[in-house]
Amino acid sequence: LRLHHGARLAAVRVAWRLAGAANMPVVCALGGISASRRVCLSGEPRQGWWSEVAGRGRPLDTERCRILSFDYLGGSGESTGPRPGESFPSISTYDQAEVLAHLLDHLGLNALKAIAGGSYGGMVALAFGERFPERVGHLIVLCATDRPHPLGTAWRAVQRDIVRLGLEAGRATEALALARALAMSTYRSGEEFAARFGGPPVFEAGRARLPVEQYLAARGASYAAEHRPEAFLCLSESIDLHRVEAGRICVPSTAVAVREDMLVPLAEVRAMVARLHAARLCEISSIYGHDAFLKESQQLRGVFAPLLESTR
């Protein structure tokens, strides 16, 4: 695979999953940089990353479509990615789109009914729509735009520096947990933090621990236990390298913007929709901020309903 930024990868491995009712149209579901090919795993002990939105009876109903996904190139899953201590070339959202095109060829699929992408997955959806417009019928882009906002890049750059410092100091897992904790503070809204973490501190071992610290530490530790620091660096950078030409995307698109999203401001989504050729904007409000694409199943039902209506 010749990569967008000039490097080459040999013998690329792609881990994928296709789930849902047979003979139904295929929708590719892609999430943030921590997402995997396991979109919805109803009936299994471990839930998929989009289990509140995708699955039987959910807005993205697996009785009315089949859901395809894959582990990202450069990530912590089973697709080709950096090994511990290994450097890895820069990955573009165009490269992820190329992987998806090869996967469709492998499966004998000429085209997808749609791509539903949230956060980084929305960026990949836009890249695929620009490069392979004949292979997808609709783009659903949630909490993502054609280029990152500089404030979001600033937060992610600090996270990457934390992880690099940890790798140099031999404390990579701790550094990754800290970087993820910082990231979590940008995913949700100020209103949610105020409602959940306004309680008094607890004094332990001579220091004060605030409720929000305990939450962030737990989320960071959980993430660091399942993801590799090198993969985090690769995909976090990929977000900030993301640039597509919205004016060249003619695939019918629906963009979902969350008014409380600090990472992807509403004004940026509106501007992107104005550049796209055939797009509509759906604005929602959510206490979950950027993470609304993971949590707001009822508000998103209306976004997916028109897409699935034609599959009856």
Side-chain angles (χ1 to χ4, degrees):
L1 186 66
R2 182 178 178 86
L3 301 176
H4 178 71
H5 295 292
R8 289 180 180 270
L9 284 176
V12 173
R13 171 186 171 89
V14 180
W16 55 274
R17 188 172 189 267
L18 183 61
N23 303 317
M24 287 288 105
V26 178
V27 174
C28 182
L30 301 171
I33 63 171
S34 60
S36 72
R37 67 186 185 276
R38 298 175 177 89
V39 177
C40 51
L41 301 174
S42 56
E44 298 183 29
R46 184 175 179 180
Q47 296 296 306
W49 62 265
W50 221 7
S51 57
E52 294 192 34
V53 173
R56 183 178 299 176
R58 301 290 189 182
L60 189 54
D61 193 341
T62 48
E63 292 188 331
R64 298 170 65 185
C65 70
R66 289 196 293 169
I67 296 178
L68 174 67
S69 196
F70 65 97
D71 292 348
Y72 287 130
L73 187 68
S76 292
E78 295 182 51
S79 294
T80 298
R83 298 183 181 92
E86 180 184 63
S87 61
F88 201 75
S90 295
I91 297 296
S92 167
T93 50
Y94 287 126
D95 299 324
Q96 307 290 5
E98 186 80 19
V99 166
L100 177 55
H102 282 295
L103 178 55
L104 296 185
D105 292 341
H106 173 73
L107 296 173
L109 294 172
N110 291 327
L112 295 160
K113 173 78 172 179
I115 301 176
S119 192
Y120 183 65
M123 297 176 176
V124 175
L126 290 164
F128 190 92
E130 181 187 341
R131 287 285 175 88
F132 306 100
E134 74 285 354
R135 305 200 72 173
V136 60
H138 199 98
L139 304 178
I140 299 178
V141 180
L142 305 103
C143 302
T145 56
D146 49 343
R147 59 205 60 221
H149 191 279
L151 182 57
T153 295
W155 284 323
R156 286 184 293 271
V158 173
Q159 293 163 33
R160 293 194 293 273
D161 282 345
I162 291 170
V163 173
R164 292 188 185 104
L165 186 61
L167 285 166
E168 292 172 4
R171 302 177 68 178
T173 300
E174 294 169 80
L176 181 59
L178 187 59
R180 178 64 172 185
L182 175 57
M184 290 299 301
S185 71
T186 70
Y187 293 157
R188 302 293 180 92
S189 70
E191 291 80 4
E192 185 192 21
F193 273 73
R196 292 179 62 185
F197 306 117
V202 174
F203 289 87
E204 298 176 344
R207 61 156 290 188
R209 289 188 63 83
L210 297 157
V212 72
E213 289 183 83
Q214 298 173 14
Y215 165 77
L216 294 177
R219 298 283 68 76
S222 176
Y223 183 87
E226 297 185 359
H227 294 83
R228 296 191 294 274
E230 297 85 356
F232 172 82
L233 290 175
C234 178
L235 293 185
S236 173
E237 179 194 67
S238 185
I239 293 174
D240 291 318
L241 293 176
H242 170 71
R243 300 287 189 283
V244 298
E245 296 299 328
R248 297 178 59 184
I249 300 174
C250 298
V251 178
S253 305
T254 300
V256 178
V258 181
R259 299 182 186 98
E260 293 80 5
D261 189 343
M262 295 187 291
L263 285 173
V264 185
L266 174 60
E268 297 295 303
V269 184
R270 286 174 173 169
M272 177 189 71
V273 169
R275 291 191 289 270
L276 293 168
H277 283 280
R280 72 180 185 96
L281 174 63
C282 175
E283 295 182 16
I284 66 173
S285 184
S286 173
I287 197 170
Y288 298 116
H290 185 71
D291 274 356
F293 82 93
L294 296 168
K295 308 289 289 184
E296 291 288 356
S297 59
Q298 291 308 310
Q299 292 201 70
L300 294 179
R301 192 172 293 276
V303 173
F304 289 104
L307 175 70
L308 299 179
E309 190 68 29
S310 59
T311 67
R312 285 185 174 179

